[in-house]
Amino acid sequence: MAQKEFKTESKRILDLMINSIYTHKEIFLRELISNASDAIDKYYFTNEGHVDSNELGIRIDLNKEDRTITISDTGIGMNEQDLDDNLGTIAQSGSLAFKEELEKQEKNDEDIDIIGQFGVGFYSAFMVAKEITVTSKKDGFDACQWTSDGVNGYEINPGQRDTHGTTIVLSLKEDTDQDDYSQYLETYKIKDLIKKYSDYIRYPIHMLVETTKMKEGTEDSENPEYETIQEDQVLNSMVPLWKRNKSQITQEEYNQFYKDHFYDYSDPFRTIHFNVEGNVSFNALLYIPSRVPQGFYNADYKRGLQLYCRGVFIMDHTEELLPDYLRFVKGLVDSQDLSLNISRELLQHDHQLKVIAGRIEKKILSELTNMLTKERDQYEIFWNNFGINLKFGCYNNYGRDKDKLQDLLLFHSSNENKLVTLNEYVQRMKEDQKDIYYVSGTDLELMDKLPVVQTLKSKGYEVLYLTENVDEFVMQSLMNYREKGFKNAAQGDLDLDSDEEKEALNKTSEENKELLDFMKESLPEVSEVRLSSRLIDDPVCLSAGEGVSFEMERVFNNMPDNPMPIKAERILEINPNHPIFEKLKSLYETDKDKVKEVADVLYSQACLIEGFAISDPISYSRKICELLVK
Ligand code: ADP
Ligand code: MG
């Protein structure tokens, strides 16, 4: 068959690999073994487990004379098309991420130390091999052979192999001053590498190893004779990582496992590995990613953990093992108490599985609580990535989980320029303070300047700044925290004044009732014009009635197919201590038309402060100018 070219970007990566000065070339073995193991998994699954597990395995052969390493597996194998698709293009997740990172790095002109971070896969073998031959056979197809020197392209020809599986022969490069490729022909080196990178692989990795043994029959004699024999050894312990003793696993190993199994090329943010013994026993290895996974907010994002029974992989994305609000957690669960032929349909009703899910939820929440109390900085990083999920958790399912989650929530606050917990807020509440105050908005700086916030701050109250759509719903769902209610500071009666102050305000309101009613009549959108106890320096503000808040109005009306627009009740509040009020009073005696104009301008200003668009900005601007000129 004629030679085929590699696809362009594959070429670039190959180029990089081959010419790399990268010192961790040894990872090629890990990659090939991991592919072999994947291929055996696939064989196992396509045959629905009806296979003789004795025939499943991987073999490594070293040949010093020919300078070759051969890695064969009894996996699913590849036919001609597969070879062309899989080994001719780089389109796999790991490789793709690698490529993206590469492009970023090129811009930064940084070192190419990224190779080790990725599952760069099959191509990494070209770091040590000058030529690679892959002979493969898939059940139902003839064997094929793929050959390439990694530079000029590849060829696919008929091959020789009788049973399913793949054999990969690497012809090693010649040693150079910098690179000792011959080391990979040494048994001890291969043994080390397998222990280091592939010990947990679930299928046996065989190799013929030369050992010296006493000759049979001479064991008991005074001068035992020795002979060198070739012995078949299994190099890996086959104990999966999660079954190993925690104290003997390095973070490095945890990280590598994560990257190999959960489609991420960054190290995880947190690793949670635990063991439960009891009515239901299981091992769990869980990870919190260090960034929001790709497609996380898409409808088709698949959450859930991998499920294993007695070390055998059963299914991916087992949603039943994780509550929705922890959908960002990745990882796996292995239990000996589940039936091997459990199906997706049965999962929901499986009592054991429910117990496991409950324990997992508890464990993760306690880890988060720990992080919050002991490593606040870390928790805030976590919060910025995934906090919104916990907020949704408070609100979803009619607030079923809110008690578990309320202490994990963080909010911006007027107190300091940092995130606070509800507990911190309540701890420093003023003695006479009944409610937890909040305002909603999008811009923290603007929220900080809101008239009502200024007033509350000046009276020594702290205000939470809610910046996300879900926030007010969280407050509604929580209803209260430690017996303190939640109060939207831009809504209803704040009840801040002393009895005397209230009386004085009532009196002034009574005296000016006609003026206030007159203003209301001239402003059709406004349900009431009243004197405010919310304001200190500012002339006006807008507040909402007790029902719908402005934020709710915004959120609802921004929903794509909202059938029923809702509107918050708009109340215009005027500062009785501001000169504008005196002006209004005197105008009311002399020029009622002018009062209407001023009322209109004041209302527009209040709307702007609240972040609403005003209905007629042109006439607003004209009126302002008129007032300025006069
Ligand atoms: P990845 O393993 O991330 O998919 P690789 O570059 O390591 O990427 O491998 C590319 C593809 O080649 C694999 O997805 C698989 O389909 C195929 N492949 C590689 N090695 C084998 C093998 N030993 N047996 C069967 N298929 C293989
Ligand atoms: Mg691979």
Side-chain angles (χ1 to χ4, degrees), residues 268-291:
F269 183 67
R270 272 295 142 114
T271 305
I272 307 171
H273 183 192
F274 69 109
N275 226 340
V276 171
E277 307 279 340
N279 283 346
V280 183
S281 306
F282 66 94
N283 303 90
L285 177 54
L286 311 174
Y287 293 99
I288 299 175
S290 56
R291 24 172 227 148

mmCIF file of all heavy atoms in Angstrom, residues 268-291:
data_model
loop_
_atom_site.group_PDB
_atom_site.id
_atom_site.type_symbol
_atom_site.label_atom_id
_atom_site.label_comp_id
_atom_site.label_asym_id
_atom_site.label_seq_id
_atom_site.Cartn_x
_atom_site.Cartn_y
_atom_site.Cartn_z
ATOM 1 N N PRO A 268 -5.849 17.482 39.657
ATOM 2 C CA PRO A 268 -7.092 17.773 40.388
ATOM 3 C C PRO A 268 -6.837 18.786 41.506
ATOM 4 O O PRO A 268 -5.714 18.931 41.979
ATOM 5 C CB PRO A 268 -7.487 16.419 40.961
ATOM 6 C CG PRO A 268 -6.219 15.655 41.054
ATOM 7 C CD PRO A 268 -5.376 16.118 39.898
ATOM 8 N N PHE A 269 -7.892 19.448 41.913
ATOM 9 C CA PHE A 269 -7.802 20.410 43.003
ATOM 10 C C PHE A 269 -7.740 19.684 44.343
ATOM 11 O O PHE A 269 -6.972 20.041 45.226
ATOM 12 C CB PHE A 269 -9.031 21.317 42.941
ATOM 13 C CG PHE A 269 -9.054 22.404 43.957
ATOM 14 C CD1 PHE A 269 -8.125 23.428 43.896
ATOM 15 C CD2 PHE A 269 -10.002 22.411 44.970
ATOM 16 C CE1 PHE A 269 -8.142 24.444 44.832
ATOM 17 C CE2 PHE A 269 -10.025 23.421 45.908
ATOM 18 C CZ PHE A 269 -9.093 24.436 45.841
ATOM 19 N N ARG A 270 -8.550 18.677 44.485
ATOM 20 C CA ARG A 270 -8.583 17.875 45.714
ATOM 21 C C ARG A 270 -8.733 16.402 45.367
ATOM 22 O O ARG A 270 -9.422 16.065 44.410
ATOM 23 C CB ARG A 270 -9.809 18.240 46.555
ATOM 24 C CG ARG A 270 -9.602 19.375 47.511
ATOM 25 C CD ARG A 270 -8.585 19.000 48.560
ATOM 26 N NE ARG A 270 -7.773 20.162 48.832
ATOM 27 C CZ ARG A 270 -7.767 20.814 49.997
ATOM 28 N NH1 ARG A 270 -8.470 20.384 51.000
ATOM 29 N NH2 ARG A 270 -7.005 21.871 50.157
ATOM 30 N N THR A 271 -8.098 15.563 46.176
ATOM 31 C CA THR A 271 -8.277 14.131 46.034
ATOM 32 C C THR A 271 -8.885 13.620 47.331
ATOM 33 O O THR A 271 -8.397 13.947 48.410
ATOM 34 C CB THR A 271 -6.924 13.438 45.802
ATOM 35 O OG1 THR A 271 -6.286 14.053 44.684
ATOM 36 C CG2 THR A 271 -7.104 11.965 45.536
ATOM 37 N N ILE A 272 -9.948 12.866 47.222
ATOM 38 C CA ILE A 272 -10.585 12.304 48.412
ATOM 39 C C ILE A 272 -10.633 10.788 48.238
ATOM 40 O O ILE A 272 -11.319 10.281 47.358
ATOM 41 C CB ILE A 272 -12.017 12.862 48.596
ATOM 42 C CG1 ILE A 272 -11.993 14.392 48.574
ATOM 43 C CG2 ILE A 272 -12.640 12.337 49.881
ATOM 44 C CD1 ILE A 272 -13.378 15.030 48.522
ATOM 45 N N HIS A 273 -9.857 10.110 49.039
ATOM 46 C CA HIS A 273 -9.760 8.650 48.911
ATOM 47 C C HIS A 273 -10.176 8.045 50.236
ATOM 48 O O HIS A 273 -9.588 8.340 51.257
ATOM 49 C CB HIS A 273 -8.309 8.288 48.577
ATOM 50 C CG HIS A 273 -8.101 6.821 48.355
ATOM 51 N ND1 HIS A 273 -6.858 6.254 48.275
ATOM 52 C CD2 HIS A 273 -8.985 5.809 48.198
ATOM 53 C CE1 HIS A 273 -6.983 4.953 48.076
ATOM 54 N NE2 HIS A 273 -8.261 4.662 48.028
ATOM 55 N N PHE A 274 -11.192 7.242 50.233
ATOM 56 C CA PHE A 274 -11.597 6.647 51.508
ATOM 57 C C PHE A 274 -12.234 5.282 51.329
ATOM 58 O O PHE A 274 -12.607 4.874 50.244
ATOM 59 C CB PHE A 274 -12.493 7.589 52.309
ATOM 60 C CG PHE A 274 -13.861 7.807 51.701
ATOM 61 C CD1 PHE A 274 -14.991 7.276 52.300
ATOM 62 C CD2 PHE A 274 -14.012 8.551 50.547
ATOM 63 C CE1 PHE A 274 -16.258 7.478 51.754
ATOM 64 C CE2 PHE A 274 -15.267 8.761 50.001
ATOM 65 C CZ PHE A 274 -16.385 8.219 50.601
ATOM 66 N N ASN A 275 -12.364 4.661 52.458
ATOM 67 C CA ASN A 275 -12.713 3.272 52.561
ATOM 68 C C ASN A 275 -13.842 3.144 53.554
ATOM 69 O O ASN A 275 -13.758 3.721 54.625
ATOM 70 C CB ASN A 275 -11.505 2.629 53.241
ATOM 71 C CG ASN A 275 -11.122 1.394 52.555
ATOM 72 O OD1 ASN A 275 -11.939 0.838 51.844
ATOM 73 N ND2 ASN A 275 -9.895 0.957 52.780
ATOM 74 N N VAL A 276 -14.853 2.400 53.261
ATOM 75 C CA VAL A 276 -15.900 2.204 54.268
ATOM 76 C C VAL A 276 -16.104 0.712 54.471
ATOM 77 O O VAL A 276 -16.210 -0.045 53.506
ATOM 78 C CB VAL A 276 -17.221 2.874 53.818
ATOM 79 C CG1 VAL A 276 -18.362 2.495 54.744
ATOM 80 C CG2 VAL A 276 -17.052 4.382 53.775
ATOM 81 N N GLU A 277 -16.086 0.293 55.704
ATOM 82 C CA GLU A 277 -16.361 -1.106 56.012
ATOM 83 C C GLU A 277 -17.647 -1.143 56.816
ATOM 84 O O GLU A 277 -17.905 -0.261 57.615
ATOM 85 C CB GLU A 277 -15.245 -1.712 56.874
ATOM 86 C CG GLU A 277 -13.848 -1.554 56.326
ATOM 87 C CD GLU A 277 -13.513 -2.579 55.266
ATOM 88 O OE1 GLU A 277 -14.199 -3.614 55.221
ATOM 89 O OE2 GLU A 277 -12.592 -2.322 54.474
ATOM 90 N N GLY A 278 -18.427 -2.151 56.619
ATOM 91 C CA GLY A 278 -19.668 -2.234 57.399
ATOM 92 C C GLY A 278 -20.718 -2.983 56.634
ATOM 93 O O GLY A 278 -20.381 -3.883 55.854
ATOM 94 N N ASN A 279 -21.967 -2.619 56.854
ATOM 95 C CA ASN A 279 -23.056 -3.281 56.140
ATOM 96 C C ASN A 279 -22.809 -3.279 54.647
ATOM 97 O O ASN A 279 -22.998 -4.272 53.966
ATOM 98 C CB ASN A 279 -24.372 -2.546 56.408
ATOM 99 C CG ASN A 279 -24.899 -2.889 57.775
ATOM 100 O OD1 ASN A 279 -24.439 -3.852 58.397
ATOM 101 N ND2 ASN A 279 -25.835 -2.107 58.251
ATOM 102 N N VAL A 280 -22.411 -2.113 54.178
ATOM 103 C CA VAL A 280 -22.003 -2.005 52.783
ATOM 104 C C VAL A 280 -20.564 -1.522 52.780
ATOM 105 O O VAL A 280 -20.261 -0.486 53.344
ATOM 106 C CB VAL A 280 -22.884 -0.988 52.034
ATOM 107 C CG1 VAL A 280 -22.497 -0.949 50.579
ATOM 108 C CG2 VAL A 280 -24.349 -1.327 52.194
ATOM 109 N N SER A 281 -19.686 -2.285 52.191
ATOM 110 C CA SER A 281 -18.278 -1.888 52.155
ATOM 111 C C SER A 281 -17.939 -1.374 50.766
ATOM 112 O O SER A 281 -18.413 -1.916 49.769
ATOM 113 C CB SER A 281 -17.368 -3.071 52.463
ATOM 114 O OG SER A 281 -17.749 -3.647 53.682
ATOM 115 N N PHE A 282 -17.134 -0.347 50.727
ATOM 116 C CA PHE A 282 -16.686 0.144 49.419
ATOM 117 C C PHE A 282 -15.438 1.008 49.549
ATOM 118 O O PHE A 282 -15.103 1.484 50.629
ATOM 119 C CB PHE A 282 -17.803 0.924 48.713
ATOM 120 C CG PHE A 282 -18.188 2.213 49.405
ATOM 121 C CD1 PHE A 282 -17.600 3.421 49.034
ATOM 122 C CD2 PHE A 282 -19.146 2.223 50.413
ATOM 123 C CE1 PHE A 282 -17.963 4.609 49.649
ATOM 124 C CE2 PHE A 282 -19.508 3.410 51.045
ATOM 125 C CZ PHE A 282 -18.915 4.603 50.662
ATOM 126 N N ASN A 283 -14.734 1.175 48.423
ATOM 127 C CA ASN A 283 -13.644 2.135 48.297
ATOM 128 C C ASN A 283 -14.127 3.229 47.381
ATOM 129 O O ASN A 283 -14.785 2.938 46.389
ATOM 130 C CB ASN A 283 -12.421 1.538 47.593
ATOM 131 C CG ASN A 283 -11.915 0.313 48.284
ATOM 132 O OD1 ASN A 283 -12.329 -0.790 47.976
ATOM 133 N ND2 ASN A 283 -11.015 0.498 49.209
ATOM 134 N N ALA A 284 -13.768 4.443 47.711
ATOM 135 C CA ALA A 284 -14.112 5.536 46.798
ATOM 136 C C ALA A 284 -12.875 6.384 46.566
ATOM 137 O O ALA A 284 -12.117 6.652 47.491
ATOM 138 C CB ALA A 284 -15.230 6.384 47.369
ATOM 139 N N LEU A 285 -12.666 6.751 45.326
ATOM 140 C CA LEU A 285 -11.588 7.673 44.974
ATOM 141 C C LEU A 285 -12.229 8.822 44.210
ATOM 142 O O LEU A 285 -12.718 8.642 43.101
ATOM 143 C CB LEU A 285 -10.543 6.954 44.112
ATOM 144 C CG LEU A 285 -9.386 7.816 43.611
ATOM 145 C CD1 LEU A 285 -8.686 8.550 44.747
ATOM 146 C CD2 LEU A 285 -8.379 6.958 42.857
ATOM 147 N N LEU A 286 -12.277 9.974 44.885
ATOM 148 C CA LEU A 286 -13.021 11.104 44.324
ATOM 149 C C LEU A 286 -12.091 12.286 44.086
ATOM 150 O O LEU A 286 -11.118 12.466 44.811
ATOM 151 C CB LEU A 286 -14.131 11.529 45.289
ATOM 152 C CG LEU A 286 -15.018 10.413 45.817
ATOM 153 C CD1 LEU A 286 -15.975 10.947 46.862
ATOM 154 C CD2 LEU A 286 -15.798 9.771 44.678
ATOM 155 N N TYR A 287 -12.432 13.066 43.099
ATOM 156 C CA TYR A 287 -11.618 14.226 42.768
ATOM 157 C C TYR A 287 -12.491 15.456 42.580
ATOM 158 O O TYR A 287 -13.556 15.371 41.968
ATOM 159 C CB TYR A 287 -10.880 14.000 41.461
ATOM 160 C CG TYR A 287 -9.820 12.919 41.479
ATOM 161 C CD1 TYR A 287 -10.102 11.644 40.993
ATOM 162 C CD2 TYR A 287 -8.537 13.185 41.951
ATOM 163 C CE1 TYR A 287 -9.123 10.652 40.974
ATOM 164 C CE2 TYR A 287 -7.558 12.211 41.930
ATOM 165 C CZ TYR A 287 -7.852 10.942 41.445
ATOM 166 O OH TYR A 287 -6.888 9.985 41.415
ATOM 167 N N ILE A 288 -12.013 16.570 43.093
ATOM 168 C CA ILE A 288 -12.612 17.855 42.729
ATOM 169 C C ILE A 288 -11.681 18.476 41.692
ATOM 170 O O ILE A 288 -10.495 18.650 41.966
ATOM 171 C CB ILE A 288 -12.730 18.793 43.950
ATOM 172 C CG1 ILE A 288 -13.631 18.153 45.017
ATOM 173 C CG2 ILE A 288 -13.277 20.158 43.528
ATOM 174 C CD1 ILE A 288 -13.718 18.960 46.310
ATOM 175 N N PRO A 289 -12.173 18.758 40.496
ATOM 176 C CA PRO A 289 -11.298 19.320 39.465
ATOM 177 C C PRO A 289 -10.803 20.711 39.850
ATOM 178 O O PRO A 289 -11.409 21.385 40.686
ATOM 179 C CB PRO A 289 -12.210 19.412 38.237
ATOM 180 C CG PRO A 289 -13.362 18.515 38.527
ATOM 181 C CD PRO A 289 -13.531 18.528 40.007
ATOM 182 N N SER A 290 -9.706 21.113 39.244
ATOM 183 C CA SER A 290 -9.169 22.434 39.579
ATOM 184 C C SER A 290 -9.761 23.520 38.703
ATOM 185 O O SER A 290 -9.490 24.692 38.885
ATOM 186 C CB SER A 290 -7.655 22.441 39.478
ATOM 187 O OG SER A 290 -7.273 22.027 38.204
ATOM 188 N N ARG A 291 -10.558 23.116 37.733
ATOM 189 C CA ARG A 291 -11.260 24.126 36.933
ATOM 190 C C ARG A 291 -12.575 23.531 36.455
ATOM 191 O O ARG A 291 -12.766 22.315 36.508
ATOM 192 C CB ARG A 291 -10.424 24.577 35.746
ATOM 193 C CG ARG A 291 -9.423 23.537 35.341
ATOM 194 C CD ARG A 291 -8.699 23.819 34.094
ATOM 195 N NE ARG A 291 -8.751 22.578 33.339
ATOM 196 C CZ ARG A 291 -8.787 22.500 32.047
ATOM 197 N NH1 ARG A 291 -8.775 23.567 31.325
ATOM 198 N NH2 ARG A 291 -8.836 21.333 31.452
#
